[in-house]
Amino acid sequence: MTDDEQQLAALFNTLPGYSEPGFWRGVKAAAGLARIRSTMSFAVREAAKDNFEPLAGLALDAFGQDTRHEALVDALAEHLGGTLQARAWITVAVATAGRIKRNGSADPLGALIKKW
């Protein structure tokens, strides 16, 4: 497990688990997603197999939306102890997930060559 993968797992571990559907309903509504608990459950199972792409993708899809940022901060704030902590959590989660997605790309040079 890379440092980024470990950090992303630790960040998500600070949030409630599957057995707290009220929290996840709030995050789902704030993020504008159709599903979240089943997606999160799948992502965690994949991470256990050393595939962090689904977890990173979920972090980017759910928390990387500028237009929904304030709603997401509100959804996380109570659990994390305030809006500053929620903003910091989102910032770190999105940055870490972005690094995982970029590092996990198969061949960035090959993709660049195809573009040009």
Side-chain angles (χ1 to χ4, degrees):
M1 182 180 329
T2 68
D3 289 343
D4 287 330
E5 292 167 345
Q6 189 169 16
Q7 183 175 20
L8 191 61
L11 284 165
F12 272 103
N13 192 43
T14 64
L15 301 179
Y18 187 85
S19 63
E20 297 188 42
F23 172 82
W24 290 105
R25 275 192 295 272
V27 171
K28 179 177 92 169
L33 299 175
R35 299 177 316 180
I36 195 153
R37 287 192 327 151
S38 60
T39 305
M40 179 70 176
S41 182
F42 171 77
V44 170
R45 286 193 309 275
E46 285 298 303
K49 300 177 205 172
D50 288 331
N51 177 13
F52 277 80
E53 289 281 324
L55 191 60
L58 175 62
L60 293 171
D61 291 345
F63 301 104
Q65 305 176 51
D66 289 339
T67 58
R68 296 186 173 268
H69 184 74
E70 290 306 314
L72 289 162
V73 167
D74 291 343
L76 296 178
E78 184 178 333
H79 177 75
L80 294 175
T83 57
L84 291 176
Q85 291 87 342
R87 287 181 203 285
W89 191 99
I90 291 170
T91 299
V92 173
V94 168
T96 304
R99 286 192 302 271
I100 290 170
K101 291 293 269 187
R102 284 191 303 276
N103 291 343
S105 60
D107 180 12
L109 179 57
L112 179 62
I113 291 168
K114 287 179 185 177
K115 288 168 93 175
W116 293 96

